[in-house]
Amino acid sequence: MSSYCHLVRTVVSLCVLSHVVMVSGQTCRTVTTFNAGLTPRIDDYPSRLKRQPAALLKEDADVICVQEYWFENDLAHMLKAVSSKYAYHFSPLHTSISYLPTFSRKRIFPETACDPADAAYFYLRVLPCALFRGCVPLFLQSLQEGLSCAAAKCGVVFKTFSEDCLSCISLTATSLSALIDACKPVTNGYNNRLNGPGLALLSKQEILSAEYRDFFPGRELTLQRGFIEAEIKDLGTVVCSHFSAIFPYYFEYNLDFANYVQQQQAEMAVIQSRFQSRDHILLADFNTGPQVETASSEDRVLKGEAPQNFQMWIAGGYNFTYLEDDGRCTFCRDNPVVDSNIHPNNVIDYVMFKGHYTAQKAKRTLDESPPLSDHYGVRQTLCIGKKDGILRKPYNIGRNSKKN
Ligand SMILES: *[C@@H]1O[C@H](CO)[C@@H](O)[C@H](O)[C@H]1NC(C)=O
C-alpha cells in the first residue's frame, strides 16, 4: 500500500486515507453479515456471547450487519468491546447514531421485555387461555406448534399483551417452567430491554444517517421483523435485515398471511419497492436459499429453503456471488449447536447488491470452532466507482486521468 500511495501521490494527493483500498480507480469496502444466534434456546449461549466481540474485531470488515442480538445487555456488552474499531453503530434501541442510552442512562424502574404487570397478565390471562383452548400439550411437543395454536385461539388476549414480552418469551423460552424468566426484571436496576428485531449495524466509516423500520408498521408481531437503512460514507445505502424464518407452524396473530413463506414474500416486496431506484447493499439473514443437488463437497450440497422466494431476489435484479465463490453452507448440519435432526445444510445468509458495484470474491467467515453461532457469516469486498469510463459516484477519489 505505501509504495502504491507514494506512486499515486505524485499524481494526486488524496492517498492520505490509508483505509481506503483502491483497485483501478475504485473505492472498495468489505462488508459482513452474521446471524449471532444469541438466545438461550441455542446451545452454549453464555460462552458464545463472550467470544463474539473478539471474533467481530478480528473480522475487521468495514461494515457488519448482525442479527439476533436480542438483548440490550448483550448488545451493549458487544458494542463496548468493539467500538474502538467500529466507532459507528446503530440498532433499533439506539436513540441516535452510535448512541445506545444504556451506557449512561440511569433508570428509576428496570426496563425489561416484560414488566411485573406483563408477567401478571401472562399468568392470569395468556397462559390460562392457552390451557383452556388445549394448546398446552402442543407446547410440550414443540414451542412453535403451541404458539401457533395460541396465536390462532388466543389472538384477542395476545393483542392486549405487551408485544416485547410475547416476543421475548417466544425467543427465549426453554421450557414451560422457564417461560418468562429471561424476560422479566430480576432485581431492581436490572435493565435489559428487548431489541425486538435483533438487528445491529457496525461501521468503521461514518454512518451519515440511519433508521429502523418495521416491515409491517402498526402491526404487532410475535417475532418482530424489519430493517435498518443507513447511509455510510464512501459506501452509500446499506440495508441490514433478518427476513422471517420458514417455521412449519405460523404463529403471528396480527397479520393476515397463511404461512411464513407468504410473510417472507411480503417482507421482500417491502425492500424491493422501497429501494427500487437506488443502488444499495443488502446484508441479511434471508432465510431463503436455493437447492443444490450435486457439488464438489458435502457441505455444498444444499437442501434449499423456500427456493421459490430465493428466485424472487434474482428476478428482482439483486446480484450475489457467494454460491459461485464459496458455496459452503452458512447454516450447517455439522455445526455442533445446530440440531442436525431437523436442519439440513443451507445457504441463507447473503451479501446482495443492486446497482453499480463490482464485487470481489465472497467467502464464509466467522466459522471458527467451537462455533460462535448456529450460523456462519458471509464476507465480501464491494467496489464502487468507474467501470466503463463513466464516473458513477463522487467517491471515486485518488483517480488520475489515465485509462484503466
Ligand atoms: C454480479 O457481480 C459480479 C461481480 O462484480 C459480476 O461479475 C457480474 O457480472 C454481476 N452480475 C450481474 C447480473 O450484474
Side-chain angles (χ1 to χ4, degrees):
M1 187 68 200
S2 63
S3 67
Y4 176 68
C5 278
H6 187 74
L7 187 72
V8 174
R9 205 177 292 126
T10 62
V11 186
V12 286
S13 55
L14 283 166
C15 213
V16 287
L17 303 166
S18 63
H19 59 278
V20 178
V21 181
M22 289 179 291
V23 176
S24 41
Q26 295 183 319
T27 303
C28 300
R29 302 290 189 202
T30 300
V31 298
T32 292
T33 182
F34 177 57
N35 183 327
L38 289 180
T39 153
R41 296 247 305 280
I42 300 169
D43 280 357
D44 223 14
Y45 164 54
S47 149
R48 293 186 298 101
L49 172 67
K50 222 192 294 174
R51 289 183 282 116
Q52 285 195 12
L56 293 171
L57 284 170
K58 187 160 157 252
E59 175 66 10
D60 201 27
D62 291 295
V63 174
I64 304 180
C65 164
V66 293
Q67 303 93 32
E68 301 205 15
Y69 262 85
W70 302 116
F71 286 103
E72 179 180 25
N73 284 348
D74 294 354
L75 186 58
H77 159 85
M78 182 271 281
L79 290 177
K80 203 172 159 200
V82 307
S83 58
S84 56
K85 178 166 269 178
Y86 307 104
Y88 302 93
H89 40 83
F90 189 76
S91 80
L93 292 181
H94 279 56
T95 49
S96 57
I97 293 161
S98 309
Y99 186 65
L100 182 66
T102 301
F103 291 144
S104 58
R105 203 163 106 214
K106 298 262 185 296
R107 296 174 196 160
I108 298 166
F109 299 107
E111 287 183 66
T112 48
C114 308
D115 66 20
D118 298 327
Y121 186 92
F122 178 74
Y123 287 114
L124 294 174
R125 297 287 311 277
V126 179
L127 214 50
C129 177
L131 192 64
F132 285 126
R133 298 302 202 96
C135 300
V136 168
L138 300 177
F139 273 108
L140 298 175
Q141 287 167 35
S142 121
L143 175 75
Q144 289 156 19
E145 196 174 355
L147 269 175
S148 171
C149 173
K153 294 179 174 170
C154 303
V156 178
V157 181
F158 276 21
K159 279 179 197 166
T160 49
F161 188 37
S162 148
E163 183 184 22
D164 276 357
C165 185
L166 182 61
S167 291
C168 184
I169 292 169
S170 312
L171 287 166
T172 63
T174 48
S175 70
L176 210 50
S177 60
L179 268 180
I180 201 170
D181 290 3
C183 306
K184 65 177 203 268
V186 179
T187 55
N188 243 10
Y190 180 81
N191 291 316
N192 199 10
R193 288 178 298 165
L194 188 73
N195 178 24
L199 303 170
L201 189 66
L202 311 175
S203 177
K204 286 191 201 173
Q205 277 79 41
E206 187 178 357
I207 299 178
L208 302 170
S209 66
E211 61 179 325
Y212 167 76
R213 286 171 177 270
D214 285 323
F215 283 127
F216 309 109
R219 301 298 185 105
E220 295 199 335
L221 275 76
T222 308
L223 295 181
Q224 300 170 31
R225 301 294 187 190
F227 58 97
I228 294 172
E229 170 183 347
E231 290 299 316
I232 298 182
K233 190 163 179 284
D234 295 339
L235 185 61
T237 304
V238 173
V239 180
C240 168
S241 190
H242 186 179
F243 297 90
S244 277
I246 309 298
F247 297 113
Y249 301 96
Y250 191 67
F251 46 86
E252 295 301 333
Y253 55 94
N254 197 12
L255 292 176
D256 303 321
F257 306 108
N259 53 54
Y260 282 109
V261 174
Q262 279 184 10
Q263 185 178 324
Q264 193 190 74
Q265 285 172 4
E267 294 164 357
M268 295 165 60
V270 170
I271 296 294
Q272 295 195 10
S273 80
R274 180 168 177 84
F275 298 98
Q276 198 167 27
S277 57
R278 283 157 69 180
D279 286 10
H280 62 287
I281 298 164
L282 179 51
L283 308 174
D285 174 352
F286 285 78
N287 270 313
T288 175
Q291 183 184 12
V292 175
E293 279 176 337
T294 54
S296 59
S297 64
E298 188 63 20
D299 56 1
R300 292 179 170 88
V301 174
L302 310 173
K303 181 77 189 300
E305 180 79 354
Q308 68 275 41
N309 285 11
F310 195 74
Q311 280 305 314
M312 292 169 65
W313 286 113
I314 298 171
Y318 283 81
N319 194 352
F320 56 88
T321 66
Y322 178 80
L323 292 168
E324 302 141 57
D325 294 346
D326 187 316
R328 286 173 295 166
C329 50
T330 62
F331 197 88
C332 303
R333 217 171 37 203
D334 67 2
N335 180 333
V337 303
V338 167
D339 181 351
S340 58
N341 291 324
I342 53 171
H343 293 294
N345 286 343
N346 270 314
V347 177
I348 52 179
D349 304 272
Y350 291 90
V351 171
M352 291 204 190
F353 47 97
K354 195 177 173 186
H356 301 110
Y357 306 93
T358 49
Q360 297 172 16
K361 278 198 184 324
K363 64 176 192 215
R364 197 169 81 177
T365 190
L366 296 164
D367 54 356
E368 63 193 58
S369 181
L372 296 163
S373 172
D374 54 346
H375 289 245
Y376 300 130
V378 170
R379 170 189 178 92
Q380 185 157 40
T381 300
L382 297 171
C383 304
I384 312 156
K386 192 180 141 133
K387 215 178 158 187
D388 48 15
I390 303 158
L391 283 182
R392 305 274 192 190
K393 291 276 166 187
Y395 331 123
N396 204 343
I397 56 165
R399 170 92 187 130
N400 64 39
S401 58
K402 272 195 315 199
K403 294 272 180 305
N404 267 347

